Amino acid sequence: MKVLVIGGGIAGLAIAWRLSREGSTVEIVERGICGRSASWAAAGMIAPGGELDTEDNAIASFAREARNLWPSFAAELEQASGMSVFFTETDSVILAETESDAAQLRRRAPVAAQWLSSERLLSREPLLSPRLKGALSISGDAQVDNRALGDALFAALVANGALIHENCEALSLMIERGTVRAVVTQHGTIQADAILLASGAWMALMSGAGLNLPPIKPVKGQMLALVPPQGIGLPKSLIWSDDVYLVAQRNTLLIGATVEDAGFDTSVERHCTNMLRESASRLIPSLPQWRLTEIWAGLRPRTPDDAPVLGGTTISNLFVAGGQFRNGILFAPMIAECMARMLLGQDPGPLAAAFHPGRFSENA
Ligand code: GLY
């Protein structure tokens, strides 16, 4: 079977890699460079604890299952690509900046995690401000270098003989009698037995006769990266406050992120990145002395109910995988597993059912 994947982000690449390991022929069409869009802009967090805490719903169950798949996914990918993705187990620390934050977080501690007093927090993360009132520590999160991850998936796919077209925008789908036959790209038409749309924030822009795609919208996130002066170490935990999160990735500290409804605009605005840096400086007092190395913006793909869309469509051989919103890196192994099974005609398991794209169709 030949599967054409539209979108070379982490989701599209991971699904394609999984399919190629099952013997499918895969071809990928990417409008830019693989792994250089939302997947590049991310912070690499694999953090159901930090992002979803004790939530008990379909997204949280899916997230926890995805988290459990990560160690083997990372190890197999490293083996297949010969590249490191820097997967690390860590914890999330949710900071209390005020006494009222502290009281609220302390109430959650017995269920979710462990309460750290200000002194214990500082002994664990000495960079943090002594003005903080403590923190909730949630174990079991992890992280990966999302940029290395994209490169590793690309290498693993190439090693499996996948054909990858970069700088090649998919313009429309050729649909006849309820079946998609081919995709028309700016460089020609490509036929396939099945087509998977994994084009992130751009998914809903695809055209084709009778196509009814999930209403995915872009949500802009601006971020920055800083390097500490010599002799200052980086935090060990993923650190969260009301305004920012801080992620140490190799020798850099990533600070994110804005959440903006700004269409497809990916410009970086200094007042936004300054605001992120100021918020982060309240948490790490030495931060104004750190060297700024990069500022960037990316587009998260968001559905109206903030849940992913995974499954078949009204076109018999057209599938979608998207709407990951804040959790694209975390979800990747689980999305790869569920979508590969669907494309291969196997049972995707019970957790994917809640995310069927049909929930957004007019008669759903
Ligand atoms: N997962 C963090 C973000 O979307 O900013």
Side-chain angles (χ1 to χ4, degrees):
M1 178 172 74
K2 174 175 161 183
V3 179
L4 179 78
V5 177
I6 300 176
I10 295 302
L13 296 176
I15 299 163
W17 179 51
R18 175 75 174 71
L19 285 167
S20 71
R21 295 167 81 199
E22 296 288 331
S24 300
T25 302
V26 289
E27 199 161 337
I28 297 165
V29 174
E30 160 56 42
R31 60 202 301 283
I33 303 291
C34 287
R36 293 291 196 276
S37 194
S39 309
W40 189 259
M45 287 184 285
I46 300 166
E51 283 279 4
L52 302 157
D53 191 13
T54 49
E55 277 180 43
D56 183 17
N57 55 33
I59 301 180
S61 304
F62 191 81
R64 290 183 192 115
E65 195 62 34
R67 163 66 183 91
N68 293 339
L69 292 181
W70 256 101
S72 56
F73 178 75
E76 286 163 20
L77 179 58
E78 289 187 341
Q79 168 99 44
S81 63
M83 297 164 77
S84 177
V85 297
F86 304 94
F87 173 78
T88 317
E89 310 267 352
T90 183
D91 58 352
S92 273
V93 164
I94 304 178
L95 301 177
E97 288 196 68
T98 63
E99 289 296 353
S100 119
D101 290 347
Q104 255 185 19
L105 288 173
R106 234 188 252 118
R107 277 198 290 276
R108 276 160 51 187
V111 208
Q114 188 193 9
W115 173 252
L116 301 178
S117 65
S118 176
E119 293 70 35
R120 284 183 68 200
L121 175 62
L122 285 189
S123 73
R124 195 190 293 189
E125 295 291 356
L127 278 179
L128 290 174
S129 166
R131 299 166 77 103
L132 292 164
K133 309 296 181 207
L136 193 66
S137 165
I138 303 178
S139 58
D141 282 348
Q143 65 180 114
V144 69
D145 180 331
N146 43 296
R147 297 180 180 184
L149 174 65
D151 291 344
L153 282 166
F154 188 95
L157 276 159
V158 170
N160 279 4
L163 200 53
I164 304 177
H165 309 271
E166 296 190 311
N167 296 310
C168 180
E169 189 169 358
L171 301 172
S172 62
L173 299 177
M174 289 174 60
I175 298 167
E176 288 166 14
R177 292 185 291 281
T179 302
V180 59
R181 305 280 174 207
V183 59
V184 180
T185 77
Q186 60 187 139
H187 302 304
T189 297
I190 305 171
Q191 295 188 330
D193 301 310
I195 293 186
L196 168 74
L197 271 173
S199 40
W202 290 265
M203 187 193 288
L205 303 185
M206 179 56 63
S207 64
L211 206 52
N212 181 11
L213 290 172
I216 291 179
K217 291 204 167 138
V219 177
K220 179 175 176 180
Q222 301 189 48
M223 291 190 61
L224 61 150
L226 300 168
V227 173
Q230 254 196 339
I232 296 192
L234 289 164
K236 291 181 278 298
S237 310
L238 305 174
I239 294 178
W240 308 75
S241 76
D242 282 347
D243 310 318
V244 283
Y245 54 77
L246 313 176
V247 179
Q249 205 178 76
R250 293 157 82 177
N251 65 340
T252 354
L253 184 70
L254 311 184
I255 302 176
T258 61
V259 180
E260 301 167 66
D261 186 1
F264 287 91
D265 170 34
T266 51
S267 61
V268 180
E269 295 151 297
R270 274 297 179 153
H271 71 274
C272 290
T273 51
N274 285 344
M275 207 174 61
L276 291 171
R277 191 170 182 173
E278 278 158 27
S279 296
S281 299
R282 281 204 316 274
L283 313 178
I284 299 186
S286 66
L287 212 67
Q289 282 88 57
W290 294 33
R291 185 165 54 87
L292 178 68
T293 52
E294 192 182 345
I295 49 181
W296 68 94
L299 301 176
R300 308 172 182 91
R302 184 179 202 173
T303 60
D305 59 10
D306 289 350
V309 275
L310 305 172
T313 65
T314 51
I315 310 297
S316 65
N317 55 345
L318 177 68
F319 296 79
V320 296
Q324 298 93 329
F325 191 33
R326 298 180 61 93
N327 293 304
I329 304 298
L330 163 63
F331 289 159
M334 190 62 179
I335 289 183
E337 187 61 30
C338 293
M339 292 310 303
R341 283 169 180 255
M342 282 184 217
L343 278 146
L344 295 167
Q346 301 165 1
D347 178 3
L351 291 178
F355 307 124
H356 195 275
R359 72 188 189 275
F360 295 119
S361 65
E362 269 154 37
N363 328 322

